[in-house]
Amino acid sequence: MAAPRNPRSLGILFAILPLAGAIGVGLLGEPVIGLVGGLALAAIIVTAFWLVDRRR
């Protein structure tokens, strides 16, 4: 019998990381760079977890 699949949902990272990046880098005067960096980091993390979940 196959084990049930329980995929992870990491969509919250697309809300938290861009905000954290905008605030963190915004303190240095460049909030847009932080926003884009946060989105990029979220996309990388979510893609990595998706690839791992796909193998399970």
Side-chain angles (χ1 to χ4, degrees):
M1 183 175 224
R5 296 189 67 210
N6 293 321
R8 295 175 230 168
S9 176
L10 298 172
I12 190 69
L13 292 179
F14 282 111
I16 293 174
L17 289 179
L19 287 174
I23 292 170
V25 179
L27 295 174
L28 300 174
E30 293 292 335
V32 175
I33 293 174
L35 179 76
V36 173
L39 276 172
L41 184 60
I44 291 168
I45 293 171
V46 168
T47 302
F49 271 90
W50 174 71
L51 289 171
V52 170
D53 270 351
R54 214 175 80 173
R55 288 180 181 242
R56 289 192 303 147

